[in-house]
Amino acid sequence: MKLTAFAALLGGVLLAAPVAGQVNLTAETASPGGATYLSASHMAEIAGTTGIANVQLADGQTLTNSLQNVAEGKTDIASTPHILPFLMNRGVGPFGELGAEKGAELASNIRAVYPYTLGIFFLFAYDAKGLTGWDDLEGKKIFNGPPRGGALTNARAMIQIITGMKDGEGYEGIQANWGQATAIITGGEPDAVVLPELFPSSRVSTMGASGKVTAWSMPKEIYESDAMKKYIKAPGSAPFTAPVAELQAIMGNQWTFVSEDDTFRAFATIGGDVVHKDMDEELVYNLVTAYIATLDDLKAKAPFGNTVNYDNPSLGMCGANPVTYHKGAARAWEEAGFEIPDCAKDKS
């Protein structure tokens, strides 16, 4: 495998790395339990144990704010769905107050370091709620993400494309920070949930442990519609299909997956960790080199580790995504034997 030949390179990096504590970095990520937190916490651990940097990691953050903090130079590293730099670059959505000019200026400061799939957006609810599916959401309370951020933007868009309803106009959206999500959902306040999840994530595992849950596929007609195809092509999104039987086997008897045929349809949200363009190139190179060399360890830390594209640096890059790789990160990936598309390289 590519990483075997990379071990010697890592050794050289570690010998050249600064003594622990010489470099102090701040990082922001989502709550524990998903690919986003796992990636950032692994990076912080590896940076510390190899003596590259001391990373102070704050979890449970609203990633819209985290991205802006990096762009403004207030935070060194942040996790982000790719949709957020896209929206920031245009000064729209959660960045509407910035305006187009300021948004584009801030977005130009963002550089990628490594990727992952954040989760799969779908509708699910406790069976005790008696929900019958997408056509039964009118008047319901739906937990759809944190108060600001890419998850909320995607969840609202998915519901609107499928049902025609907007948050506050047809259904009542419930929002809370990621750290509160599991408690709110298992507490029974929402009638349904639309969030990005993994198979399995800690949140869906907790739900299954406390009651039977049903998940609904996106209707095939909607999945194949022009509106949904266009949305799924946007930065931060990708199509997702899986055999119903496969998901059922993974999640067990507490979960039921409903589709009009044998295929479960949804869309994935993708992103990665980012830094400011002015972060020292050698520091970024050392961080990413150590991260890549320990990918097998990272994947082994969670049951979803092999399914979230930790080792696919092309994931979600180019096209309408305005973010390119930091020069130090691109060098680390390429020296490890991975391909970085030319359109994903920093030309500045």
Side-chain angles (χ1 to χ4, degrees):
M1 81 186 275
K2 296 175 181 176
L3 298 185
T4 301
F6 196 43
L9 176 59
L10 173 63
V13 168
L14 299 189
L15 289 173
V19 176
Q22 281 191 333
V23 179
N24 293 312
L25 301 175
T26 55
E28 299 182 23
T29 191
S31 297
T36 308
Y37 171 83
L38 188 65
S39 180
S41 61
H42 178 76
M43 179 274 299
E45 175 189 344
I46 295 303
T49 57
T50 57
I52 297 171
N54 175 30
V55 181
Q56 299 297 317
L57 179 64
D59 60 37
Q61 304 303 298
T62 298
L63 300 185
T64 304
N65 300 333
S66 300
L67 178 69
Q68 188 165 337
N69 286 340
V70 169
E72 293 175 344
K74 298 175 181 177
T75 298
D76 296 304
I77 306 167
S79 305
T80 183
H82 284 154
I83 185 65
L84 290 183
F86 172 77
L87 296 175
M88 175 184 279
N89 191 49
R90 286 158 174 73
V92 297
F95 301 103
E97 293 183 2
L98 294 176
E101 183 176 352
K102 183 63 175 179
E105 177 187 340
L106 288 177
S108 70
N109 292 333
I110 299 297
R111 296 294 184 271
V113 287
Y114 46 75
Y116 40 75
T117 298
L118 286 81
I120 310 301
F121 277 87
F122 60 102
L123 169 67
F124 53 100
Y126 280 114
D127 290 0
K129 293 294 183 178
L131 198 75
T132 59
W134 288 101
D135 58 355
D136 190 26
L137 296 184
E138 187 172 1
K140 298 297 194 297
K141 294 182 178 180
I142 305 175
F143 189 93
N144 55 4
R148 298 175 69 219
L152 180 62
T153 300
N154 279 321
R156 283 173 168 169
M158 187 179 197
I159 296 169
Q160 185 173 350
I161 293 172
I162 294 174
T163 70
M165 295 187 294
K166 296 181 179 181
D167 194 339
E169 300 177 16
Y171 71 93
E172 179 184 346
I174 298 175
Q175 292 92 42
N177 290 332
W178 286 118
Q180 302 171 289
T182 300
I184 290 174
I185 294 168
T186 56
E189 181 181 359
D191 299 304
V193 183
V194 177
L195 287 179
E197 300 291 355
L198 299 171
F199 302 113
S201 68
S202 60
R203 188 162 40 242
V204 298
S205 296
T206 300
M207 283 190 68
S210 57
K212 289 188 176 295
V213 188
T214 295
W216 286 271
S217 169
M218 193 185 302
K220 183 178 180 181
E221 182 179 0
I222 298 295
Y223 183 81
E224 296 177 348
S225 68
D226 290 340
M228 187 57 73
K229 286 180 178 179
K230 182 178 180 180
Y231 191 83
I232 291 176
K233 288 181 179 179
S237 298
F240 173 84
T241 61
V244 170
E246 179 180 305
L247 296 180
Q248 194 70 65
I250 293 172
M251 297 303 297
N253 294 331
Q254 288 294 98
W255 279 77
T256 299
F257 290 85
V258 176
S259 176
E260 62 225 75
D261 55 18
D262 296 329
T263 300
F264 193 88
R265 298 171 179 84
F267 70 79
T269 181
I270 53 181
D273 282 10
V274 297
V275 298
H276 195 280
K277 67 179 182 181
D278 293 334
M279 183 177 280
D280 181 74
E281 183 174 335
E282 286 304 309
L283 175 59
V284 175
Y285 171 77
N286 289 340
L287 286 169
V288 179
T289 295
Y291 178 88
I292 296 169
T294 55
L295 280 173
D296 285 347
D297 293 335
L298 169 60
K299 294 175 186 178
K301 289 180 176 180
F304 55 75
N306 286 314
T307 67
V308 292
N309 293 289
Y310 283 137
D311 55 2
N312 180 9
S314 298
L315 184 71
M317 302 302 291
C318 302
N321 183 357
V323 177
T324 55
Y325 272 98
H326 191 285
K327 291 178 180 178
R331 179 156 59 97
W333 281 105
E334 290 185 323
E335 289 186 7
F338 293 84
E339 181 178 352
I340 300 291
D342 187 65
C343 53
K345 296 179 181 179
D346 183 4
K347 303 297 197 305
S348 62

